[in-house]
Amino acid sequence: MALVVQKYGGSSVGDANRIKQVARRIAQRREAGDDLVVVVSAMGDTTDELIALAEQITGEPEARELDLLLSTGEIVSSTLVSMALKHLGQPAVALSGAQAGIGTDRRYGRARILKVDPQRLRRELDEGKIVIVAGFQGITEEMDITTLGRGGSDTTAVAIAAALGAERCEIYTDVDGIYTADPRIEPRPSKLPEIRYEEMLELASYGAKVMHPRAVELGAVYKVRILVASSFNDSPGTLIHSTSSGQVHGGSPMMEQRNKVMGIACDADVGRITVRGVPDRPGIATTIFEPLAEAGISVDTIVQNASVERLTDLTFTVAKADLKRAVEIVKPVAQSIGAPEVLADTGLAKVSVVGAGMQSGPGYAARMFRTLFQEGINIELITTSEIRITCIIDEGRTEDAVRALHLAFELEEA
Amino acid sequence: MALVVQKYGGSSVGDANRIKQVARRIAQRREAGDDLVVVVSAMGDTTDELIALAEQITGEPEARELDLLLSTGEIVSSTLVSMALKHLGQPAVALSGAQAGIGTDRRYGRARILKVDPQRLRRELDEGKIVIVAGFQGITEEMDITTLGRGGSDTTAVAIAAALGAERCEIYTDVDGIYTADPRIEPRPSKLPEIRYEEMLELASYGAKVMHPRAVELGAVYKVRILVASSFNDSPGTLIHSTSSGQVHGGSPMMEQRNKVMGIACDADVGRITVRGVPDRPGIATTIFEPLAEAGISVDTIVQNASVERLTDLTFTVAKADLKRAVEIVKPVAQSIGAPEVLADTGLAKVSVVGAGMQSGPGYAARMFRTLFQEGINIELITTSEIRITCIIDEGRTEDAVRALHLAFELEEA
């Protein structure tokens, strides 16, 4: 008998009938012998409806009050799932995030979980109950209710799984797993039976639509095995884990035998800034990047060319929405250090090949570059991590690049 | 600068526009200099809609889960009122019942307030905020959410006023005060500028539609002055209090000068049981009434005739809904004590004359009996308390009785 944490998203509990279906799934799993904690999102569009209600009152709802308001959405769905389970004869109890011991900081609307006090959860489990937890929410030390922001319910589930030492955390959603490429771009993507946390994070630029990176990161830190699967069918899904020995449950292929490239990611949200003629001396990078960090602008890819006559070009990317502000910050800095020019452009995309085995096998980068060359796609920038090779290319060629790389790395569905 | 607790009912916060109106009223009051705690009910039909949602899931929603579900209704309205106040530039904070320190027992759906921990309320008030509290709810020692049942938000408001030692508690509703008789029966009722707790409780058989007796009782115990007034106009309302010295704020008439009869109450929910031939010996009343109490049946009027040859008739009334069950309980008891007959009938109503000054002025009972006699209304039973004279009469004559008594005691609108 294992302890399992499950999470069902908003579409899975969208109305009374779906709630009854989810309850039947949960009840079957319970009858199979597992102890269950089930985290639920708000029903369907509830959160959007509550926000619309607040906006009828005021254009700028206070973050604290908005969180208290929004937290009711998941409380409603949790109580209904609990009632549906009891109707099926299964002992169950619904807990708000506060009751489930989800302690957060005070960053309303995007609170981070600081701790999970599992006392109440354990007591209810010990009494043989299925525990239904309202996701997406927690409580501060001052007893104020917070919401966790994007990926909040996934994060609730992973945090509870970590705190209880659960066998695994199962994220049920409207897709049935993680694919080798975005199915909207690549017509023959393969579903991955398993993937490592790091790979999942690198794939997040499309994977985020399946599961938010913050929940994956939390899972990586606490080694929580996460299954992503469909709430509408019994397809096996994708297991996110850290196992490198091939000792994975559920009949997945041995890690050593698997294709070292796990998938192709792409992201069109790229704004590029190039600072021309930067003096090549210590501390220059700090001078440029510190003001950006202070302004809350995340810098993604950074490339510094080899220095010519003690001058270099520094190129980096930011989210498109931050581009204008970033240029305004960088221009005076560039002037102050004697760099003559700051260039900004968009119309770019990142395409990445991701896989944990790549660093031990040569030739992956070469194959990627050759593939793009054969497609006539120019590479603007290249960056690599231990498990990823990223090329920045013309945005208009993104789909061609993904399809060509998917083919070149033999990722098509078998 | 006084501390005042206000309560607004569901129709007062029925939609975004009404919430904005209520916020303007609250803001004006704040600008006039008072510190405010505002208790709100759920918006319009929210509670009924949540119950309907639960009933789509199961015919018998678990009481604990139902309470957690229903508690969201008042949280939603409290956050929206707080947002509306901030939009008007007034510092405000919304608190759930739990956050406001409303501690209750575990009787889900009809919990009683055991204590109010006013720490958080005081802190927010000290910071200059208007505190908006979700009514109708509390939290148990085990951190489970409860709802208070009928009259719950009124009770929340009075309990908070008591805990904070507030100047007074103002209940805003869709009627503008307490009248000398039900306006649906008596065409010319007078609005009472003030009334004592005890009188209000005796009038509760119609007054309950304005304010629930439990909140009045709590007010009486803690001497919380309660104003009942309209949330839609500025009519002065009725002050419920215990003052007997005439020192009432707001220009009310001196107590000594006022009419000693405050109003005429009536109630058609009367089931009568008569046990014939009860042996007149000690302990008999216990034998009959204890089993009824154990079955949760409230006994109202009890009349025992003078004993004839050590046998007496015992008559009492119960709610019509309890009549059948009460007879089933009483019949075997009657048999065991040798009482030959148990009679049950309905078709009766109680008509009461209520007023705290009556015991010091003779002739009130006589005037009541004479009035009913002149109307040709037969009196089936008579009971009195210190501030009330009640006659049980034919239900079909209720309205005639109310109108005749209203006239006889000179209660018409001036």
Side-chain angles (χ1 to χ4, degrees):
Chain A
M1 196 173 74
L3 171 60
V4 172
V5 177
Q6 298 189 328
K7 179 254 171 177
Y8 291 92
S11 58
S12 310
V13 293
D15 58 32
N17 280 331
R18 287 196 171 176
I19 286 172
K20 289 181 196 173
Q21 279 170 30
V22 160
R24 279 192 290 272
R25 281 180 70 112
I26 298 169
Q28 279 166 16
R29 183 65 173 270
R30 173 72 188 148
E31 278 158 13
D34 288 326
D35 282 340
L36 295 171
V37 175
V38 178
V39 175
V40 293
S41 299
M43 294 170 72
D45 299 324
T46 303
T47 304
D48 290 340
E49 287 163 13
L50 290 171
I51 290 172
L53 190 56
E55 285 173 349
Q56 284 180 44
I57 302 286
T58 174
E60 291 179 41
E62 174 90 1
R64 180 192 171 280
E65 317 303 279
L66 191 60
D67 272 15
L68 183 54
L69 175 66
L70 295 184
S71 72
T72 63
E74 284 76 16
I75 291 175
V76 167
S77 53
S78 66
T79 59
L80 295 175
V81 171
S82 176
M83 287 176 190
L85 281 164
K86 286 180 180 174
H87 189 71
L88 296 173
Q90 293 288 349
V93 63
L95 299 180
S96 68
Q99 291 173 327
I102 310 293
T104 76
D105 62 19
R106 298 182 61 86
R107 307 187 340 155
Y108 295 111
R110 52 198 177 103
R112 287 172 300 202
I113 296 176
L114 298 180
K115 61 167 190 201
V116 177
D117 175 356
Q119 218 176 317
R120 176 80 187 256
L121 289 165
R122 281 199 205 287
R123 199 178 79 216
E124 301 289 358
L125 287 168
D126 288 348
E127 289 177 10
K129 290 179 191 157
I130 303 169
V131 186
I132 316 298
V133 177
F136 182 66
Q137 61 186 262
I139 188 163
T140 68
E141 280 206 339
E142 297 80 12
M143 301 284 281
D144 285 309
I145 304 300
T146 53
T147 67
L148 306 181
R150 293 192 58 192
S153 291
D154 289 354
T155 306
T156 303
V158 173
I160 288 175
L164 293 174
E167 170 76 14
R168 68 182 184 183
C169 180
E170 301 176 349
I171 307 291
Y172 290 103
T173 176
D174 46 9
V175 300
D176 63 356
I178 311 300
Y179 281 80
T180 52
D182 187 334
R184 287 166 305 178
I185 294 177
E186 165 55 45
R188 289 185 61 203
S190 311
K191 188 165 72 182
L192 297 165
E194 56 176 330
I195 188 170
R196 292 191 197 186
Y197 301 114
E198 300 77 17
E199 296 168 328
M200 180 67 196
L201 287 170
E202 295 281 11
L203 284 175
S205 57
Y206 76 81
K209 287 137 208 161
V210 177
M211 191 173 173
H212 199 275
R214 69 188 284 197
V216 181
E217 280 171 24
L218 192 66
V221 170
Y222 289 98
K223 299 277 180 288
V224 175
R225 295 149 48 85
I226 302 169
L227 179 78
V228 176
S230 168
S231 58
F232 300 110
N233 62 48
D234 293 325
S235 167
T238 300
L239 187 69
I240 311 171
H241 64 103
S242 63
T243 310
S244 56
S245 65
Q247 292 162 344
V248 175
H249 295 240
S252 304
M254 294 287 280
M255 296 289 285
E256 294 301 309
Q257 294 171 354
R258 70 180 204 172
N259 186 339
K260 289 188 173 63
V261 172
M262 296 302 289
I264 312 298
C266 65
D267 181 10
D269 186 15
V270 178
R272 177 170 63 172
I273 294 176
T274 301
V275 187
R276 299 283 297 274
V278 175
D280 186 10
R281 61 168 191 253
I284 281 294
T286 306
T287 312
I288 291 174
F289 293 116
E290 257 188 11
L292 291 170
E294 279 163 14
I297 296 174
S298 282
V299 173
D300 187 13
T301 314
I302 301 173
V303 179
Q304 184 178 320
N305 292 355
S307 163
V308 177
E309 294 183 1
R310 296 197 164 267
L311 288 177
T312 182
D313 293 349
L314 188 67
T315 303
F316 56 92
T317 63
V318 296
K320 276 182 187 168
D322 289 335
L323 186 63
K324 189 160 166 268
R325 216 153 49 92
V327 169
E328 282 162 12
I329 290 165
V330 169
K331 272 198 169 158
V333 176
Q335 211 163 13
S336 75
I337 59 173
E341 204 174 5
V342 175
L343 305 169
D345 55 349
T346 54
L348 300 168
K350 284 183 285 190
V351 179
S352 305
V353 172
V354 176
M358 293 196 305
Q359 77 273 34
S360 65
Y364 287 92
R367 200 194 301 182
M368 181 178 192
F369 305 151
R370 188 171 63 243
T371 303
L372 294 176
F373 169 71
Q374 284 168 349
E375 285 289 309
I377 297 169
N378 192 43
I379 297 170
E380 303 269 336
L381 276 177
I382 300 165
T383 65
T384 61
S385 78
E386 286 208 343
I387 62 167
R388 175 182 50 78
I389 307 162
T390 298
C391 293
I392 292 192
I393 61 168
D394 175 30
E395 187 181 355
R397 303 301 307 276
T398 311
E399 300 196 0
D400 296 337
V402 169
R403 290 194 199 109
L405 292 167
H406 201 265
L407 188 68
F409 287 98
E410 298 165 16
L411 293 167
E412 300 87 353
E413 196 179 11
Chain B
M1 194 173 77
L3 172 59
V4 173
V5 177
Q6 298 189 327
K7 179 255 174 175
Y8 291 92
S11 58
S12 310
V13 293
D15 58 33
N17 280 331
R18 290 197 170 176
I19 285 172
K20 289 180 195 173
Q21 279 171 28
V22 160
R24 279 192 289 272
R25 280 180 70 110
I26 297 168
Q28 279 166 15
R29 182 65 172 269
R30 171 73 186 147
E31 279 158 14
D34 288 326
D35 282 339
L36 295 170
V37 175
V38 178
V39 175
V40 293
S41 300
M43 295 170 69
D45 300 324
T46 304
T47 304
D48 290 341
E49 287 163 15
L50 289 171
I51 290 172
L53 190 55
E55 285 174 349
Q56 282 179 46
I57 302 287
T58 174
E60 291 178 42
E62 175 90 1
R64 180 192 172 281
E65 317 303 277
L66 191 60
D67 272 14
L68 184 54
L69 175 65
L70 295 184
S71 72
T72 63
E74 283 76 17
I75 291 175
V76 168
S77 53
S78 67
T79 60
L80 295 174
V81 171
S82 176
M83 287 177 188
L85 280 164
K86 286 179 183 178
H87 189 70
L88 297 174
Q90 293 288 349
V93 62
L95 299 180
S96 67
Q99 290 174 328
I102 310 292
T104 77
D105 62 19
R106 299 183 60 87
R107 306 185 344 152
Y108 295 110
R110 54 199 173 102
R112 286 172 299 202
I113 296 176
L114 298 180
K115 61 166 188 206
V116 177
D117 175 355
Q119 219 176 315
R120 176 77 186 258
L121 289 165
R122 281 198 204 288
R123 200 178 79 217
E124 302 289 359
L125 288 168
D126 288 347
E127 290 177 9
K129 290 180 191 157
I130 303 169
V131 187
I132 316 299
V133 177
F136 181 65
Q137 60 186 263
I139 188 163
T140 68
E141 281 208 338
E142 296 81 11
M143 301 281 282
D144 284 310
I145 305 301
T146 52
T147 67
L148 307 181
R150 291 192 61 191
S153 292
D154 289 353
T155 306
T156 303
V158 173
I160 288 174
L164 293 174
E167 170 75 15
R168 69 182 183 183
C169 180
E170 301 176 350
I171 306 291
Y172 290 102
T173 175
D174 47 8
V175 301
D176 63 356
I178 311 299
Y179 281 79
T180 50
D182 187 334
R184 287 166 305 181
I185 294 177
E186 165 55 44
R188 291 185 61 203
S190 311
K191 186 164 70 179
L192 298 165
E194 55 176 330
I195 188 170
R196 293 190 195 186
Y197 301 114
E198 301 75 18
E199 295 167 329
M200 180 68 197
L201 287 170
E202 296 281 12
L203 284 174
S205 58
Y206 77 79
K209 285 137 209 163
V210 177
M211 192 175 173
H212 199 275
R214 69 189 282 199
V216 181
E217 280 172 24
L218 192 65
V221 170
Y222 291 96
K223 299 279 180 285
V224 176
R225 293 149 50 84
I226 302 170
L227 180 79
V228 175
S230 169
S231 58
F232 300 110
N233 63 48
D234 293 325
S235 167
T238 299
L239 186 68
I240 311 171
H241 64 103
S242 63
T243 310
S244 56
S245 64
Q247 292 162 345
V248 173
H249 296 238
S252 301
M254 296 287 282
M255 295 291 283
E256 295 301 309
Q257 293 169 354
R258 72 181 202 173
N259 187 338
K260 291 187 171 67
V261 172
M262 297 301 290
I264 312 298
C266 64
D267 180 9
D269 186 15
V270 179
R272 177 171 61 174
I273 295 176
T274 301
V275 187
R276 299 285 300 272
V278 175
D280 187 9
R281 60 170 193 250
I284 280 293
T286 306
T287 313
I288 291 174
F289 292 115
E290 257 188 13
L292 290 170
E294 280 163 15
I297 295 173
S298 283
V299 172
D300 187 13
T301 313
I302 302 174
V303 179
Q304 184 177 320
N305 292 354
S307 164
V308 177
E309 293 182 5
R310 298 194 162 268
L311 288 177
T312 182
D313 291 350
L314 188 67
T315 304
F316 57 92
T317 62
V318 296
K320 275 183 186 167
D322 289 334
L323 185 62
K324 188 158 168 270
R325 215 154 48 91
V327 169
E328 282 163 11
I329 290 166
V330 169
K331 272 200 170 159
V333 176
Q335 208 163 16
S336 75
I337 59 174
E341 204 173 5
V342 175
L343 305 170
D345 56 351
T346 56
L348 299 169
K350 283 184 285 192
V351 178
S352 304
V353 172
V354 176
M358 293 198 302
Q359 78 274 32
S360 63
Y364 288 92
R367 199 192 304 180
M368 182 177 190
F369 304 153
R370 188 172 60 241
T371 303
L372 294 177
F373 168 71
Q374 283 167 349
E375 284 290 306
I377 297 169
N378 193 41
I379 299 170
E380 303 268 335
L381 276 179
I382 300 165
T383 66
T384 60
S385 78
E386 286 209 343
I387 63 168
R388 176 183 48 78
I389 308 162
T390 298
C391 294
I392 292 193
I393 62 169
D394 175 29
E395 186 180 355
R397 301 300 309 277
T398 310
E399 300 196 0
D400 296 336
V402 169
R403 290 194 199 110
L405 291 168
H406 201 265
L407 187 69
F409 287 98
E410 297 163 19
L411 294 168
E412 298 88 353
E413 195 178 11

